[in-house]
Amino acid sequence: MRIVLMGAPGSGKGTQSQRLVERFGIPQISTGDLLRSAVSRASEYGLRAKTAMDSGRLVVDEIVLGIMRERLAEPDAARGFVLDGFPRNLSQAEALASMLSALSTPLDAVVLLEVDYDQIIKRISGRRSCALCGRVFNIHTAPPGMPPHCDRCNDKPPLLQRRDDEESTVRQRLAVYEEQTRPLAAYYANQGLLRTINADGSVDDVTARLLAVL
């Protein structure tokens, strides 16, 4: 099964991708994870991507497509995959179609996860993480204490907010999504591939809706 999950930042694509991975035994391919890995390794692609990621702008297609082309060629993607956060614009969608055509592996479905933007802003800007153990908190739904700290690590280190989770950056990311990525819904609808679900609610409820449309 070859699936694209579409949705605004914070709509739950990553969480639902993992559910599909567990159910179908296919890899999740996240451009966010691929790019963050490149940044942490200070690779050529990573260094070029870091500035754009920190300011909430999209990374240029040349970088994203290069990383994605390499990943789709890996053996574990031969049986199928879940694309999370890719494609993000029309040129990427057309490039993906060319890549998959060359591999004789066309998409089976594109699912759009819809969530109210105000809810997304609250969800993302409230995220905090522990630099030591990596545990993620949300100050709106699971307050870890004041000041926010990790209750798992012995020295209770303060929680950190990723720069791209700051509210101003989240709003910029949503504006970019609305302008460049959301139009892909019409592109895939014209191909008969688009499915749309309400992605607000519990993780289990959203998973049930996702599996129903697939």
Side-chain angles (χ1 to χ4, degrees):
M1 183 173 287
R2 296 174 293 277
I3 307 166
V4 168
L5 289 190
M6 277 186 62
S11 60
K13 298 186 300 296
T15 299
Q16 296 304 323
S17 292
Q18 284 300 313
R19 292 292 183 94
L20 295 178
V21 167
E22 294 167 5
R23 185 176 183 89
F24 297 113
I26 55 179
Q28 171 198 16
I29 300 177
S30 163
T31 51
D33 289 343
L34 292 176
L35 288 169
R36 279 188 286 272
S37 174
V39 169
S40 67
R41 290 182 285 107
S43 69
E44 179 183 355
Y45 282 143
L47 293 173
R48 295 171 59 190
K50 187 176 187 304
T51 300
M53 293 172 67
D54 283 348
S55 62
R57 293 181 289 110
L58 292 183
V59 178
V60 296
D61 287 353
E62 175 192 355
I63 297 173
V64 176
L65 292 173
I67 293 174
M68 184 59 62
R69 188 175 295 108
E70 293 173 352
R71 183 64 183 88
L72 289 175
E74 293 182 15
D76 67 336
R79 294 181 54 250
F81 48 77
V82 181
L83 291 183
D84 166 14
F86 181 88
R88 292 191 178 187
N89 56 47
L90 182 57
S91 64
Q92 289 183 4
E94 292 173 341
L96 174 64
S98 296
M99 289 182 207
L100 297 180
S101 176
L103 296 169
S104 298
T105 54
L107 290 174
D108 293 309
V110 176
V111 183
L112 174 62
L113 279 62
E114 292 275 42
V115 183
D116 180 77
Y117 283 3
D118 287 339
Q119 181 65 28
I120 286 174
I121 291 169
K122 182 177 180 181
R123 183 185 298 180
I124 298 181
S125 64
R127 287 196 303 219
R128 302 291 189 275
S129 61
C130 176
L132 295 181
C133 70
R135 185 180 178 189
V136 177
F137 297 84
N138 191 293
I139 61 174
H140 298 300
T141 58
M146 293 300 294
H149 62 274
C150 180
D151 57 5
R152 176 179 295 175
C153 298
N154 291 333
D155 55 356
K156 299 187 183 302
L159 300 178
L160 304 176
Q161 183 181 45
R162 273 181 17 191
R163 187 168 180 180
D164 57 349
D165 285 345
E166 295 175 1
E167 182 172 339
S168 60
T169 304
V170 174
R171 290 186 182 278
Q172 172 63 21
R173 292 168 66 192
L174 289 172
V176 171
Y177 168 80
E178 187 68 25
E179 177 185 354
Q180 299 192 28
T181 305
R182 190 173 178 81
L184 292 182
Y187 172 80
Y188 284 119
N190 288 337
Q191 299 178 33
L193 292 171
L194 187 71
R195 314 287 186 268
T196 302
I197 63 170
N198 176 5
D200 196 9
S202 73
V203 172
D204 288 343
D205 286 347
V206 176
T207 300
R209 296 170 198 152
L210 175 59
L211 293 176
V213 298
L214 291 175

